[in-house]
């Protein structure tokens, strides 16, 4: 992989012009334009490029190097096309030339006519769902991109002049409209110099920091004595980055994975093998670990600016985000003020927290969410959700706009979550009820607009086409259907009319219009990317009710495409078994690496593992007798050693039934406290639940340091939770804060029509359908819950697996290799076995 020279910095053409030339308000109406920009370089480009003549070159890489004060700035991108001659009909060009001459008579001499005739054409292609007949001129930012490419090409080839053709294509009809411009090279140079001046102070900031950053990263020492296997793990990560590959890493608790993954990534930045680190997580709580790790490394001399991206809903100053000048006072003129706010923020140090961002945003009256996204451009480390790297509708295009490999490293924590999240991100659904409701509400709000008749007609056709598609469903069970081409065609037309409606400048768009437009857009775009890894699921949910889902059963291709934008990717989790299953579905190839990290914990001594062989939560065998046995196991476990325990159940129904059984037996230890997870728990509710495990035990648990608290060791507490829920992963209860975990059942997802379709789909492709749809997801929940137990080398505790199925080879093969000396128990023997374990610990 190429390294970067110390005094050279890169930025994309698109990123540069969008950053420097933005102005005015945050406006919901512009959101549609940004979403349409996602199509740049995709099918509309290929369609137009294929129609051009032999003299047309598509996707031409161009760059220009600017000598700044002690460093060079490389601005790069790809021109959609370059033609020696404009491919429009000759009579059209002649007519436009005559019109231009009429406006400015006498300005063209014969030599100038020859000059323009020979000038090449830079083609910039944009797709839109709007009515292109209503476009008055090219978008200024779009034109600015083309002017940069035109300057680069003219400068490189020594041309005196160049022409630009802005090509707008209707994504609904395929109709094309051109806007043409002519520039002398000197004009383009002046324009480009102005753009560079607008960016100079920010580029100077990058340069001023870079030498210090790389020097500090090179000199950085690992902050602690390496744990067992931790140095080897760091070596795996560094070699993966060095070779530009992907690593799939099973890193059990005790491996010290956060620092072992982050440290070599930072060293690679110091060696200029990469420029930025994205630390990606599935849940907010998981961001504590990398934040603490960066602080530890900075205390050791590292100069490294980091930012944690907070979800818009959590950082917004309003109760509900309203991203337009009518709904939010900071949206008005935001882009006129944001660059000054950003520059001030860059002076605030390296650990740029949510509190710092909100303070600077308040001082400058700008949106804190948008400000944090801009800050990420100048951060060395970005801690954020999966969707900022993987979601095709959300990912940070400002880093990856040109669809080329970037200088960023992806570190994907708790990567087992990426499978279901990937399926969610690359799938889309639509219901007949949503169409019907949107038809009524949007047609009513738009009744006085020019689009009203076309809107009503488009909705009526869409509803009819949706009903026709549902006619392929014989009953109420979800089924796979194959023909929705008619539906997709009418939805495209509806999308175009909606885009025209949102584009009207004399009316304010409603939240309902925008929400429906984006949902429709997502459905349409997902359909355009469907391949053999998808299937179309349809179901009737009632009379004149139904749902069609474009389901990405295997997200490997889309995830691989996203990871190809990174210099290297490390995916790691404590529960990524079987690792080859996750590697295949998360986008790995035969050339990518897989590894199993060692833990520094002695789990054979620290953790007693027991399988309850006379109990099951199989749906067909559930009942009072089984619930009573589970209650008996809980009672005996807590009685054997007073302390803090968590029990996990496969569903709310089983949790409530076991709790009732415990009440009936009246045999639970005196003074013991039973607390229950509640459905739809608030943040305060979660905090209160965890506080029973120790003073200060809050939702911020998690991380490499954890939280050591004073605990009343003699007081027994049993927390009853749902497997796969909010307490099943991401919390870090250490020492006496948790001495036992009891898991009832194998965690299999509830049987449903959707799950059964997935089972059939994988089975039809030669895979084990039950494993893919049920067993592997279920066991991941089990392993995550079990991982709450032993968090340090000093912890001890018991793990009870209450289901006879845990003895079957199909399940035992999924146990971590560190689980040793597993004992089978029954309701009559569990008390003695637990007493023996605790006696061994105490002895």
């Amino acid at each position: 992989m190429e390294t970067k020279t110390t005094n050279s910095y890169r930025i994309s053409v698109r990123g540069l012009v969008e950053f420097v030339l933005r102005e005015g308000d945050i406006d919901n109406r512009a959101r549609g334009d940004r979403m349409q920009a996602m199509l740049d370089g995709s099918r509309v480009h290929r369609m137009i490029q294929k129609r051009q003549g032999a003299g047309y070159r598509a996707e031409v890489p161009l760059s220009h190097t600017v000598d700044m004060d002690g460093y060079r700035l490389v601005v790069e991108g790809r021109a959609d096309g370059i033609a020696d001659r404009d491919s429009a009909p000759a009579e059209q060009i002649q007519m436009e030339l005559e019109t231009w001459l009429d406006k400015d008579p006498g300005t063209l001499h014969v030599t100038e006519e020859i000059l323009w005739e020979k000038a090449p054409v830079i083609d910039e292609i944009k797709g839109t769902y709007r009515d292109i007949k209503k476009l008055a001129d090219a978008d200024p930012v779009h034109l600015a991109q083309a002017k940069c490419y035109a300057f680069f090409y003219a400068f490189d080839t020594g041309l005196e002049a160049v022409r630009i053709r802005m090509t707008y294509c209707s994504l609904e009809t395929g109709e094309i409209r051109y806007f043409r411009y002519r520039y002398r090279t000197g004009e383009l140079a002046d324009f480009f110099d102005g753009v560079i001046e607008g960016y100079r102070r920010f580029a100077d900031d990058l340069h001023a920091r870079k030498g210090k950053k790389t020097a500090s990263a090179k000199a950085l020492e690992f902050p602690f004595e390496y744990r067992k296997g931790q140095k080897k793990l760091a070596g795996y990560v560094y070699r993966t980055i060095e070779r530009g590959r992907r690593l799939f890493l099973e890193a059990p608790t005790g491996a010290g994975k956060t620092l072992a993954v982050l440290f070599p990534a930072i060293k690679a930045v110091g060696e200029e093998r990469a420029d930025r680190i994205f630390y990606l997580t599935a849940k907010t709580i998981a961001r504590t670990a990398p934040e603490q790790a960066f602080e530890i490394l900075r205390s050791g001399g590292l100069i490294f600016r980091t930012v944690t991206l907070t979800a818009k809903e959590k950082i917004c100053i309003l109760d509900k985000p309203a991203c337009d000048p009518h709904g939010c006072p900071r949206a008005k003129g935001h882009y006129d003020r944001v660059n000054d706010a950003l520059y001030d923020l860059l002076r605030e140090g390296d650990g740029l927290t949510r509190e710092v961002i909100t303070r600077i945003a308040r001082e400058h009256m700008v949106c804190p969410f948008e400000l944090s996204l801009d800050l990420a451009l100048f951060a060395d480390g970005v801690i954020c959700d999966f969707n900022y790297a993987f979601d095709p509708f959300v990912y940070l295009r400002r880093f990856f706009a040109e669809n080329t490999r970037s200088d960023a490293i992806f570190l994907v924590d708790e990567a087992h979550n990426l499978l279901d999240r990937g399926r969610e991100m690359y799938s889309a659904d639509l219901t007949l009820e949503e169409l019907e409701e949107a038809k009524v509400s949007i047609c009513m709000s738009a009744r006085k607009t020019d689009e009203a008749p076309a809107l009503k007609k488009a909705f009526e056709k869409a509803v009819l086409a949706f009903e026709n598609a549902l006619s392929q469903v014989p009953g109420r069970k979800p089924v796979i259907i194959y023909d929705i081409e008619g539906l997709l065609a009418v939805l495209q037309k509806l999308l175009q009319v909606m885009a025209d409606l949102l584009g009207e400048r004399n009316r304010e768009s409603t939240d309902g219009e925008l929400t429906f437009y984006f949902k429709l857009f997502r459905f349409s775009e997902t359909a355009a990317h469907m391949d053999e890894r998808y299937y179309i699921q349809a179901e009737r949910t009632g009379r004149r009710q139904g749902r069609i889902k474009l389901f990405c059963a295997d997200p490997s291709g889309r995830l691989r495409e996203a990871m190809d934008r990174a210099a290297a990717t490390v995916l790691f989790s404590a529960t990524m078994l079987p690792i080859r299953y996750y590697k295949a579905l998360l986008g790995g190839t035969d050339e990518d690496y897989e590894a199993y990290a060692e833990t520094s914990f002695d789990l054979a001594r620290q953790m007693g593992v027991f399988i309850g062989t006379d109990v099951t939560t199989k749906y067909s065998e559930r009942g009072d007798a089984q619930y009573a046995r589970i209650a008996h196991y809980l009672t005996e476990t807590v009685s054997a050693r007073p302390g803090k325990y968590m029990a996990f159940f496969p569903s709310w129904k089983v949790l409530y039934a076991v709790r009732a059984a415990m009440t009936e037996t009246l045999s639970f230890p005196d003074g013991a406290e039973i607390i229950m997870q509640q459905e739809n728990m608030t943040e305060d509710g979660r905090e209160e639940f965890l506080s029973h495990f120790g003073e200060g035990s809050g939702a911020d648990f998690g991380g490499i340091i954890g939280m050591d608290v004073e605990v009343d060791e003699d007081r027994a507490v049993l927390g009853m939770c749902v497997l796969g829920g909010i307490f099943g992963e991401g919390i870090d209860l250490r020492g006496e804060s948790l001495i036992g975990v009891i898991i009832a059942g194998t965690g299999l997802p509830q049987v449903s029509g959707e799950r059964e379709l997935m089972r059939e789909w994988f089975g039809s492709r030669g895979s084990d359908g039950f494993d893919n749809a049920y067993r592997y997801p279920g066991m991941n929940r089990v392993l995550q819950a079990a991982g709450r137990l032993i968090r340090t080398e000093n912890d001890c505790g018991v793990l009870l697996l209450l289901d006879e199925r845990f003895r079957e080879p199909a399940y035992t093969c999924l146990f971590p290799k560190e689980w040793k000396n597993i004992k089978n128990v029954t309701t009559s023997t569990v008390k003695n076995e637990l007493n023996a374990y605790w006696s061994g610990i105490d002895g």
Side-chain angles (χ1 to χ4, degrees):
M1 188 166 53
E2 291 184 2
T3 60
K4 299 174 64 176
T5 56
T6 302
N7 293 320
S8 180
Y9 307 89
R10 286 179 153 78
I11 187 171
S12 70
V13 169
R14 180 173 175 174
L16 176 66
V17 298
E18 288 183 350
F19 182 85
V20 174
L21 300 181
R22 57 189 177 172
E23 59 184 13
D25 309 333
I26 298 175
D27 194 335
N28 267 330
R29 288 175 299 214
R31 292 169 66 191
D33 295 336
R34 290 200 298 271
M35 292 194 75
Q36 290 158 10
M38 286 189 287
L39 297 169
D40 289 353
S42 63
R43 64 185 188 278
V44 72
H45 285 66
R46 293 190 294 271
M47 176 190 73
I48 292 173
Q49 289 162 345
K50 287 179 180 178
R51 295 177 180 175
Q52 308 307 308
Y56 187 95
R57 289 172 289 152
E59 301 298 326
V60 180
L62 294 169
S63 66
H64 187 73
T65 300
V66 183
D67 289 325
M68 307 290 274
D69 187 10
Y71 63 96
R72 292 176 296 166
L73 182 65
V74 181
V75 186
E76 57 193 355
R78 289 177 180 270
D80 293 330
I82 298 178
D84 293 331
R85 284 181 173 274
D86 197 322
S87 57
E91 60 273 15
Q92 181 178 338
I93 297 174
Q94 180 62 33
M95 181 179 67
E96 291 181 357
L97 179 61
E98 291 173 356
T99 301
W100 193 70
L101 282 169
D102 288 341
K103 290 181 180 179
D104 196 4
T107 56
L108 282 184
H109 303 295
V110 174
T111 54
E112 289 184 85
E113 290 185 45
I114 295 173
L115 171 72
W116 290 119
E117 183 181 347
K118 291 185 176 181
V121 177
I122 307 299
D123 196 13
E124 183 70 14
I125 304 170
K126 301 295 178 183
T128 180
Y129 282 110
R130 296 186 61 186
D131 185 348
I132 61 174
K133 296 186 182 70
K134 295 183 179 180
L135 297 178
D137 203 350
D139 181 281
V141 174
H142 296 167
L143 180 58
Q145 287 179 245
K147 289 168 76 173
C148 289
Y149 293 134
F151 170 63
F152 297 173
Y153 188 71
F155 183 89
D156 290 345
T157 57
L159 293 169
E160 295 181 53
V162 68
R163 292 179 287 171
I164 291 173
R165 184 178 73 180
M166 298 299 302
T167 302
Y168 284 88
C169 178
S170 168
L171 295 167
E172 197 275 331
T173 65
E175 186 179 1
I176 293 174
R177 184 173 181 188
Y178 301 111
F179 295 98
R180 292 183 175 81
Y181 307 87
R182 299 164 178 169
Y183 298 99
R184 292 185 178 275
T185 302
E187 296 177 80
L188 295 171
D190 291 343
F191 168 80
F192 183 70
D193 288 345
V195 173
I196 292 297
E197 283 305 308
Y199 187 67
R200 182 178 292 275
R201 58 176 170 166
F202 297 99
D204 287 347
D205 174 84
L206 289 173
H207 174 62
R209 289 180 51 82
K210 184 171 183 180
K212 298 175 183 177
K213 176 183 73 175
T214 54
S216 69
K218 283 182 179 180
L220 187 67
E221 298 288 339
F222 197 76
F224 307 115
E225 182 179 344
Y226 280 109
R227 297 180 184 180
K228 176 185 176 183
Q230 199 175 27
K231 189 171 185 178
K232 185 177 181 181
L233 169 55
Y236 290 152
V237 174
Y238 187 84
R239 285 191 294 274
T240 298
I241 296 170
E242 183 181 43
R243 297 167 187 174
R245 299 286 183 82
R246 289 180 279 265
L247 171 64
F248 294 81
L249 180 64
E250 164 76 12
T253 304
K257 63 180 183 295
T258 304
L259 272 175
V261 168
L262 197 54
F263 178 75
I266 290 171
K267 297 297 285 185
V269 172
E271 296 294 332
E272 299 190 70
R273 297 185 181 279
D275 190 55
R276 180 179 283 111
I277 296 170
F278 281 86
Y279 195 105
L280 304 161
T281 69
K283 298 182 180 181
T284 302
I285 198 170
R287 297 170 202 173
T288 306
E291 288 173 342
Q292 292 176 339
F294 276 120
E295 284 302 324
I296 289 172
L297 295 171
R298 276 194 285 261
S299 69
L302 177 67
I303 298 173
F304 213 80
R305 181 186 286 152
T306 59
V307 59
T308 300
L309 299 183
T310 304
K312 181 187 293 187
E313 291 74 18
K314 292 184 178 181
I315 202 172
C316 183
I317 63 170
L318 305 176
D319 293 334
K320 181 182 178 182
C323 304
D324 61 68
H326 303 284
C328 177
R330 297 192 186 180
K332 183 70 175 176
H334 165 90
Y335 290 116
D336 299 327
R337 302 183 296 271
V338 69
N339 281 4
D340 288 338
L342 176 61
Y343 193 71
D344 285 352
L345 189 55
L346 296 178
R347 315 266 73 76
E348 290 286 331
D350 281 357
L352 296 171
T353 63
R354 173 177 174 174
E355 290 70 28
V356 175
I357 293 169
T358 53
R359 173 172 58 81
I360 296 295
R362 182 173 60 252
E363 292 173 2
H364 287 267
M365 277 294 289
V366 297
C367 169
F369 177 71
E370 293 291 338
L371 178 61
S372 69
L373 294 182
D374 287 339
L375 175 60
L377 287 168
F378 300 92
D380 308 306
V382 182
I383 304 167
C384 59
D385 189 87
F386 287 166
N387 61 9
Y388 289 106
F390 295 105
D391 192 317
F393 301 93
V394 178
Y395 83 85
L396 298 172
R397 281 175 176 74
R398 58 190 72 196
F399 294 102
F400 315 112
E402 304 299 330
N403 292 321
T404 56
R405 176 165 285 202
S406 71
D407 293 312
I409 298 168
F410 287 173
L411 303 180
V412 186
D413 197 357
E414 301 294 355
H416 63 275
N417 287 307
L418 186 57
L419 179 54
D420 281 342
R421 284 287 299 277
R423 286 171 173 154
E424 177 186 333
M425 288 186 287
Y426 303 127
S427 300
D429 71 337
L430 190 64
T431 68
L432 184 57
E433 305 94 282
E434 288 169 330
L435 265 178
E436 294 272 24
E437 290 170 7
K439 173 187 172 184
V440 173
S441 62
I442 296 176
C443 287
M444 175 63 70
S445 66
R447 64 187 183 279
K448 294 182 180 180
T449 66
D450 294 341
E451 284 75 23
L455 193 64
K456 183 174 183 293
K457 184 177 179 181
F459 264 116
E460 289 173 347
K461 287 186 174 182
V463 169
L464 180 61
F466 203 101
E467 290 174 335
N468 288 339
L470 287 177
S471 67
Q472 301 172 70
V473 182
R476 290 294 178 88
K477 286 180 59 178
V479 298
I480 294 177
I481 64 174
Y482 301 93
D483 183 13
I484 61 168
E485 291 302 315
L487 173 62
L488 294 176
V490 296
L491 290 181
Q492 286 278 20
K493 178 61 178 178
L494 177 57
L495 199 57
Q496 181 195 17
V497 179
M498 285 288 300
D500 291 338
L501 176 69
L502 296 177
E504 286 205 3
R505 294 291 169 180
N506 60 349
R507 68 183 295 273
E508 181 183 348
S509 303
T510 67
D511 287 343
E513 290 169 355
L514 290 163
T515 299
F516 180 75
Y517 174 78
F518 293 134
K519 187 173 184 71
L520 197 62
F521 184 92
R522 187 177 194 110
F523 192 88
S524 176
E525 279 302 289
T526 301
H529 285 87
M530 284 181 61
D531 58 16
E532 70 280 0
R533 299 180 180 91
Y534 282 77
Y535 58 79
I536 305 169
Q537 173 186 310
E539 62 180 317
R540 289 188 176 276
T541 53
R543 185 175 178 274
R544 290 187 61 79
Q545 293 181 332
R547 175 171 174 254
I548 295 176
K549 183 174 185 178
L550 313 178
F551 184 64
C552 183
D554 175 3
S556 59
R558 304 291 301 273
L559 290 172
R560 188 181 308 116
E561 180 182 303
M563 288 187 286
D564 283 343
R565 294 191 287 262
T569 301
V570 179
L571 303 98
F572 55 104
S573 170
T575 58
M576 204 149 64
L577 294 174
I579 197 165
R580 292 191 176 183
Y581 160 79
Y582 283 102
K583 181 180 178 182
L585 288 178
L586 294 180
T589 66
D590 291 341
E591 290 74 33
D592 294 324
Y593 307 132
E594 56 193 69
Y596 194 108
E598 296 181 73
T599 177
S600 61
F601 299 166
D602 182 5
L603 290 186
R605 177 188 63 82
Q606 293 178 252
M607 186 170 75
V609 183
F610 306 89
I611 296 177
T613 61
D614 58 347
V615 65
T616 185
T617 62
K618 284 181 182 176
Y619 190 81
S620 61
E621 298 185 35
R622 290 180 187 177
D624 292 342
Q626 295 293 344
Y627 302 146
R629 288 195 187 105
I630 296 172
H632 181 84
Y633 274 107
L634 297 179
T635 301
E636 295 291 1
T637 302
V638 178
S639 299
R641 169 66 65 98
K644 316 299 182 185
Y645 294 85
M646 279 191 175
F648 294 90
F649 302 89
S651 69
W652 292 104
K653 184 176 180 180
V654 174
L655 186 155
Y656 296 141
V658 172
R659 180 66 181 92
M662 295 175 70
T663 302
E664 291 171 6
T665 62
L666 299 176
S667 60
F668 204 65
D670 292 339
E673 182 181 14
I674 300 176
I675 57 175
M676 296 172 60
Q677 177 184 345
Q678 302 298 316
E679 299 182 57
N680 302 315
M681 257 180 146
T682 63
E683 291 281 351
D684 289 342
R686 298 176 195 179
E687 288 273 2
E688 197 278 331
F689 182 94
L690 287 174
S691 70
H692 291 269
F693 293 85
E695 191 67 29
S697 302
D700 285 334
F701 271 12
I704 57 173
I705 298 176
M707 187 175 288
D708 297 315
V709 295
E710 293 295 326
V711 179
D712 181 357
E713 298 177 10
D714 296 326
R715 184 185 184 192
V717 174
L718 176 65
M720 302 179 71
C721 311
V722 171
L723 197 59
I726 55 176
F727 300 116
E729 64 178 289
I731 60 171
D732 193 10
L733 297 166
R734 300 184 172 202
E736 297 297 326
S737 293
L738 189 69
I739 64 168
V741 168
I742 305 102
I743 301 172
T746 56
L748 303 184
Q750 184 176 351
V751 175
S752 66
E754 290 194 14
R755 283 281 164 184
E756 285 299 290
L757 285 183
M758 190 188 302
R759 176 180 179 171
E760 294 171 12
W761 188 86
F762 276 102
S764 69
R765 281 155 177 76
S767 297
D768 189 308
F770 185 81
D771 281 352
N772 281 273
Y774 293 101
R775 196 186 330 269
Y776 293 159
M779 278 302 294
N780 194 276
R781 296 175 182 177
V782 169
L783 298 177
Q784 277 293 325
R788 300 313 95 213
L789 182 56
I790 305 298
R791 308 301 297 176
T792 76
E793 62 274 7
N794 298 318
D795 294 352
C796 291
V798 294
L799 171 65
L800 274 77
L801 304 173
L802 303 184
D803 201 298
E804 62 188 15
R805 288 172 288 180
F806 282 119
R807 292 188 298 171
E808 298 173 7
Y811 290 94
T812 58
C813 72
L814 301 176
F815 288 179
K817 65 181 183 180
E818 294 83 10
W819 289 9
K820 298 177 180 178
N821 303 321
I822 299 173
K823 295 184 180 296
N824 294 332
V825 295
T826 65
T827 50
S828 60
T829 64
V830 64
K831 181 176 181 178
N832 290 337
E833 292 291 353
L834 289 172
N835 286 334
Y837 169 79
W838 287 118
S839 295
I841 292 296
D842 294 337

